[in-house]
Amino acid sequence: MLDEIDLDWTYHPPTRRSGRAGVEDRLEALRQDLFKAALASIRPRRIIRVSTYVLAGPGSDAEATHHQLRQFATSSKWRPTSRFFTDHTDVSLLPAGTRPGFDQVCDHVGFRLLDGILTTSRQALPATTTVYEDYLRWLGRRQIFVAYAQPTFTEGVL
């Protein structure tokens, strides 16, 4: 019966999704809503200030990633702040999931030194959904956004 349905028909039977995917979708929608709200709160013609944050894996070039993120920010007419923040995944002295660099960029939020945090992807941010959601809501209350940009620049800001 399903093969009789035209492909351009607008109804598609629901697909079963795992709970994790549903949570991540909800958090992505929250991040995008907070992104839009933060941008809307910035006075017209004021330059948007962003700091870059990179979670660097073994063998990755964090400086090059920061450079590309800063170029992306500039091309988006955002002003990268002079401070940028990095955490390394290969630091064996820190407890798993610890992100001191991300905590430092959040400290700058308290000083109103930036409007947003530009990073590479969701994977760069705290791993547990609960902690990630807490960070998003905390930043959102301060009208600070989180934006993702791929260092290759094949895609725009997400």
Side-chain angles (χ1 to χ4, degrees):
M1 175 98 175
L2 194 58
D3 58 341
E4 296 175 11
I5 299 174
D6 292 332
L7 293 177
D8 60 349
W9 191 39
T10 58
Y11 173 78
H12 297 285
T15 57
R16 186 161 183 84
R17 301 179 65 154
S18 72
R20 177 87 175 154
V23 169
E24 288 297 327
D25 290 345
R26 180 182 60 79
L27 290 174
E28 178 57 17
L30 173 64
R31 186 194 67 79
Q32 289 181 10
D33 289 345
L34 294 173
F35 175 85
K36 292 173 189 169
L39 289 180
S41 73
I42 298 170
R43 287 188 329 260
R45 293 182 293 284
R46 185 170 76 69
I47 294 176
I48 297 169
R49 302 160 302 175
V50 295
S51 282
T52 59
Y53 169 74
V54 171
L55 179 63
S60 66
D61 188 347
E63 286 185 35
T65 303
H66 278 293
H67 178 73
Q68 290 179 331
L69 288 172
R70 292 171 66 81
Q71 283 183 323
F72 178 85
T74 302
S75 71
S76 299
K77 302 203 182 326
W78 296 349
R79 178 180 294 152
T81 61
S82 59
R83 295 280 318 264
F84 52 91
F85 304 88
T86 306
D87 281 320
H88 297 275
T89 59
D90 59 348
V91 177
S92 59
L93 301 175
L94 295 174
T98 302
R99 305 269 168 84
F102 190 71
D103 291 340
Q104 288 175 344
V105 75
C106 287
D107 287 343
H108 276 65
V109 167
F111 298 123
R112 296 298 299 167
L113 298 174
L114 55 104
D115 302 303
I117 300 169
L118 181 59
T119 189
T120 56
S121 69
R122 162 69 175 98
Q123 287 70 36
L125 299 175
T128 67
T129 56
T130 304
V131 172
Y132 176 58
E133 182 172 8
D134 289 346
Y135 271 114
L136 285 178
R137 292 190 184 285
W138 184 83
L139 292 166
R141 284 191 299 274
R142 287 151 182 82
Q143 298 178 320
I144 306 297
F145 64 84
V146 173
Y148 303 144
Q150 297 299 316
T152 60
F153 302 129
T154 58
E155 298 180 40
V157 67
L158 303 174

